[in-house]
Amino acid sequence: MSTAAAPVRQLDAQTVGELRQAAEKILAEFGTSATSPALLARVAEKAASLSQTLRAHCRPVDTEDGLYILRGLEVDDDAIGTTPSSWATAGDSGAVHDITLLLLSTVMGNPIAWEGQQNGRFVHNIVPAAGHETEQTGASSAVLLSPHTEDAFHPGRAHLLMLGCMRNPDNIATTAASIRKTRLSDEDIDLLTRPVLPILPDDAYEEAQGYADEAPPAVPALFAAEDGMTLRFDPAYTPLDEADEAYRGAYGRLADELARVSVAVSLDPGDVLIVDNDLVVHGRVPFRARYDGTDRWLKRASVRVPGRRTRPEAETGEHGYGQSALEAHAS
């Protein structure tokens, strides 16, 4: 795995101040970052008035890396308090940073949330949780979080994933690998662009895992979009033993190529990693959680980009295992 630096977009002090003041005004008005129609409406109003300088930094991913770091935001380590023991106990911890991510998400597209995940909040707290060390979810710590497309099981998954760093004293890396940097044979691409296997809901979606109204839909792992190859990949929740040997071989070579081009990105407090969820699979290296209030703490936001055409048309007919995304700003 490479430790090559990710592309960085550095915010100047004036732009940082503009964004911070907008977030602080919203927090002062509502006293919380918990989702409400009124708060989301105010976020949209404030986002519409943000400067062109900030908008330029929030432009789409424009390199084959499929990601970039937005750098320059400030995190006061004392003011944010201790790292929550789980997302369920986080409440309004770091609330001004929740609103900051909502503003950034709104500049980039339309923030989304899930009814069945973290109480429908639009910004999630990603922290290690005792008892979940070996799961393939953001609450794990002791295992490698396998490279995956965020919410790969669902046709309404985000186009962009945002990870804002609150605390990372142990320099724990997020892993990322872009399909645009891989080398695959024409034969493997032909196999992997066919809808052969489903992607099942992950452990963060218990209700979806019990969905039995319709059979899981087979989906392609790769898709040739107008501007290049995209992917939908989550090996931990893909029943590969149901495929034939040729498909399993092609899938394994895709996994090997993604491992070959994978990079390790260690975020500092204030960094916001923007990942194109159609180009890049992400994960996390294992670490030993202390559960003493000083562990790694990220904020996560998901964004759809209206009108984007990077996925097969057939996805519109999928049932999504009964799950529906909540849109911050309805069209």
Side-chain angles (χ1 to χ4, degrees):
M1 182 185 301
S2 170
T3 56
V8 173
R9 299 181 185 177
Q10 181 72 45
L11 296 172
D12 61 84
Q14 181 175 346
T15 306
V16 169
E18 170 195 22
L19 189 56
R20 182 179 62 248
Q21 289 172 18
E24 288 175 345
K25 285 182 179 179
I26 294 172
L27 182 59
E29 179 179 355
F30 291 92
T32 179
S33 61
T35 301
S36 70
L39 183 144
L40 294 174
R42 185 70 75 241
V43 165
E45 178 184 302
K46 288 287 186 184
S49 67
L50 293 172
S51 68
Q52 289 302 315
T53 300
L54 178 61
R55 294 179 185 283
H57 284 299
C58 293
R59 67 189 183 276
V61 169
D62 53 11
T63 71
E64 289 190 345
D65 301 277
L67 54 80
Y68 64 88
I69 295 173
L70 198 61
R71 178 161 290 164
L73 299 178
E74 301 164 348
V75 174
D76 184 325
D77 191 69
D78 292 328
I80 62 174
T82 58
T83 299
S85 59
S86 74
W87 72 262
T89 65
D92 275 331
S93 299
V96 72
H97 299 282
D98 294 343
I99 296 172
T100 298
L101 286 190
L102 271 174
L103 287 164
L104 290 171
S105 299
T106 301
V107 170
M108 295 180 190
N110 194 356
I112 62 171
W114 302 90
E115 290 178 325
Q117 197 174 31
Q118 297 207 13
N119 292 337
R121 280 185 177 254
F122 282 82
V123 178
H124 294 169
N125 288 283
I126 307 301
V127 296
H132 299 267
E133 288 86 352
T134 61
E135 293 179 355
Q136 283 297 308
T137 68
S140 69
S141 53
V143 296
L144 174 74
L145 184 58
S146 299
H148 62 283
T149 301
E150 186 75 2
D151 297 323
F153 75 95
H154 202 282
R157 64 196 178 278
H159 293 108
L160 301 175
L161 177 69
M162 303 177 65
L163 297 174
C165 181
M166 304 292 286
R167 178 174 287 130
N168 191 17
D170 304 304
N171 296 316
I172 297 158
T174 297
T175 63
S178 171
I179 187 62
R180 300 283 171 89
K181 291 193 167 186
T182 61
R183 294 195 296 265
L184 294 167
S185 69
D186 291 342
E187 293 78 11
D188 283 349
I189 291 173
D190 179 64
L191 280 172
L192 294 168
T193 51
R194 300 176 188 176
V196 173
L197 295 173
I199 299 176
L200 304 175
D202 64 55
D203 289 340
Y205 294 90
E206 292 184 10
E207 184 178 343
Q209 289 180 333
Y211 183 83
D213 290 358
E214 299 178 58
V219 301
L222 299 180
F223 175 65
E226 293 177 358
D227 63 347
M229 196 64 68
T230 64
L231 84 168
R232 185 178 182 181
F233 184 80
D234 194 348
Y237 295 95
T238 300
L240 287 167
D241 56 350
E242 297 178 7
D244 62 26
E245 183 177 355
Y247 187 88
R248 292 197 305 270
Y251 196 97
R253 286 185 287 276
L254 170 60
D256 289 343
E257 273 296 288
L258 291 169
R260 182 183 68 82
V261 303
S262 182
V263 297
V265 183
S266 180
L267 300 175
D268 294 324
D271 286 349
V272 180
L273 177 63
I274 314 296
V275 175
D276 189 314
N277 199 38
D278 287 331
L279 303 187
V280 171
V281 291
H282 70 283
R284 190 215 60 244
V285 300
F287 66 99
R288 183 183 295 277
R290 292 181 292 271
Y291 306 121
D292 63 354
T294 66
D295 282 319
R296 175 182 184 259
W297 177 11
L298 303 183
K299 298 274 189 180
R300 178 179 66 198
S302 298
V303 186
R304 284 184 187 160
V305 180
R308 185 168 173 177
R309 300 175 62 186
T310 49
R311 296 171 181 173
E313 185 67 26
E315 286 195 11
T316 60
E318 293 180 23
H319 53 62
Y321 300 87
Q323 300 299 295
S324 59
L326 307 171
E327 296 189 355
H329 314 302
S331 57

